[in-house]
């Protein structure tokens, strides 16, 4: 299969399966990734999604350069839009998305990791936006999300030079949330996804929706949205359960109601 899906309880692991090309995304692999993410986004049994790459070397070494080489302007536009749409699914689906960056995350690979809510990296990971060296620019959201995740000045440095970072520097720059030994990466990602899956799904979806507004739009409007989503949660059984559990000194059991 171009993309493998594995379930671990309420967590779904999406593995790009093209290790012979360092999981570079050609049309088949990008389309399949998109389809699988769309299906997981609407699957009520899934509480969190992990994105990773097959093999020991790469998360995703970018969009497939051999495929892109022959694109004309119109085809490049459609290709860019498909990558953007996959990124939008990761960024906006109503459940947390975690990138388990197990190796090279370059170009479109770094961009899909940036579209995830949280990035965990192996100490062997290498991240960057080397598109400038191919005569193009990051086309799946990198010019916007890298600056939002790190800083504008750092994003410009990486995008203009195409420099590739090691995991430690990525951590120091806020590009990844944590770095683990390679063997510990997936267990840690599964533990985090399991922890997040056990929260109230509705509270999680609204928390994500509101936090996604933080660096965009109009500040007062964003705060008004937060206030609206906050109050709506008081119609849920999960809000009663969460607060009852605190008062009764026990763990909450959320049902999504
Ligand atoms: N596209 C197509 N094939 C790729 C690829 C890519 N992005 N990255 C790696 N591969 C293929 C190689 O061509 C090679 O295939 P063959 O054995 O058939 O030659 C195979 O994967 C193994 O790669 P290498 O032999 O190059 O492995 P290496 O360990 O020597 O180097 C690497 C690893 C530094 C990641 C190097 O492969 C590399 O630089 N890859 C390209 C990275 C890149 O530029 N990514 C950005 C793409 S543009 C983009 O993503 C645009 C966008 O914004 C959407």
């Amino acid at each position: 299969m171009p993309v493998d899906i594995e379930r671990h309880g309420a967590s779904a692991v999406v593995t790009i399966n093209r290790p012979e090309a360092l999981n570079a995304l050609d049309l088949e692999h990008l389309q399949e990734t998109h389809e699988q993410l769309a299906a997981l986004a609407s699957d009520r049994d899934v509480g969190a999604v992990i994105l990773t790459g097959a093999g020991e070397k790469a998360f995703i070494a970018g969009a497939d350069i051999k495929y892109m080489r022959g694109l004309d302007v119109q085809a490049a536009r459609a290709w860019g839009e498909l990558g953007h749409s996959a990124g939008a699914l990761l960024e906006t689906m109503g459940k947390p998305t975690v990138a388990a960056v197990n190796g090279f995350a370059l170009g479109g690979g770094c961009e899909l990791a940036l579209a995830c809510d949280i990035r965990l990296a192996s100490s062997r990971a290498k991240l960057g936006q080397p598109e400038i060296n191919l005569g193009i620019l990051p086309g799946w959201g990198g010019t916007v999300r890298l600056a939002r995740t790190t800083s504008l000045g750092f994003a410009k440095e990486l995008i203009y030079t195409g420099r590739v970072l090691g995991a430690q520097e990525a951590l120091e720059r806020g590009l990844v949330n944590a770095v683990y030994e390679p063997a510990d990466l997936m267990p840690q990602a599964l533990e985090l996804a399991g922890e997040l899956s056990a929260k109230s799904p509705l509270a999680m979806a609204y928390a994500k929706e509101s936090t996604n507004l933080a660096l965009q739009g109009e500040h007062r409007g964003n705060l008004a949205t937060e206030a609206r989503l906050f109050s709506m949660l008081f119609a849920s059984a999960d809000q009663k359960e969460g607060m009852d559990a605190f008062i009764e000194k026990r763990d909450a059991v959320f049902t999504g109601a």
Side-chain angles (χ1 to χ4, degrees), residues 19-254:
E20 68 284 4
L22 303 184
N23 305 318
L25 294 170
D26 57 8
L27 187 57
E28 181 195 16
H29 286 80
L30 182 58
Q31 273 173 340
E32 182 67 18
T33 303
H34 189 278
E35 267 174 40
Q36 296 292 351
L37 290 175
L40 293 170
S42 58
D43 187 334
R44 289 174 60 88
D45 294 336
V46 172
V49 173
I50 297 172
L51 179 66
T52 195
E56 309 226 314
K57 257 184 99 171
F59 172 70
I60 300 167
D64 188 306
I65 298 166
K66 294 162 195 167
Y67 170 73
M68 283 188 298
R69 165 72 181 78
L71 298 182
D72 62 16
V73 170
Q74 204 180 353
R77 184 72 185 257
W79 176 240
E81 280 169 5
L82 185 59
H84 268 270
S85 184
L89 282 166
L90 290 163
E91 188 173 65
T92 64
M93 71 169 75
K95 52 195 88 185
T97 52
V98 177
V101 182
N102 55 315
F104 288 113
L106 301 177
C110 189
E111 292 173 288
L112 292 185
L114 281 164
C116 290
D117 296 310
I118 296 174
R119 285 154 294 286
L120 307 182
S122 137
S123 55
R124 283 202 214 120
K126 299 241 182 283
L127 301 97
Q129 300 290 164
E131 286 91 342
I132 198 82
N133 298 325
L134 299 166
I136 57 170
L137 57 76
W140 292 351
T143 61
V144 177
R145 292 197 182 99
L146 185 58
R148 289 162 61 117
T149 306
T150 61
S151 70
L152 182 59
F154 185 62
K156 284 183 171 178
E157 182 208 324
L158 283 199
I159 291 167
Y160 296 178
T161 63
R163 183 164 76 82
V164 170
L165 304 179
Q168 196 52 42
E169 187 180 356
L171 179 66
E172 285 157 16
R173 292 293 189 164
L175 178 45
V176 300
N177 297 71
V179 176
Y180 299 104
E181 288 303 310
D184 296 335
L185 176 64
M186 195 43 76
Q188 290 286 347
L190 285 168
E191 190 179 321
L192 175 63
E195 182 190 333
L196 301 181
S197 297
K199 312 283 187 199
S200 163
L202 195 60
M204 182 64 75
Y206 285 4
K208 177 164 172 170
E209 185 179 336
S210 196
T211 309
N212 270 345
L213 297 175
L215 299 180
Q216 66 189 358
E218 196 261 317
H219 184 58
R220 281 157 59 113
N222 293 343
L223 290 173
T225 299
E226 184 198 73
R228 181 173 55 81
L229 294 173
F230 172 76
S231 62
M232 280 165 65
L233 288 172
F234 285 73
S236 71
D238 278 352
Q239 174 264 328
K240 306 282 177 290
E241 166 62 9
M243 295 191 183
D244 284 352
F246 174 79
I247 292 163
E248 293 162 17
K249 300 188 186 302
R250 60 175 175 81
D251 289 338
V253 180
F254 294 115

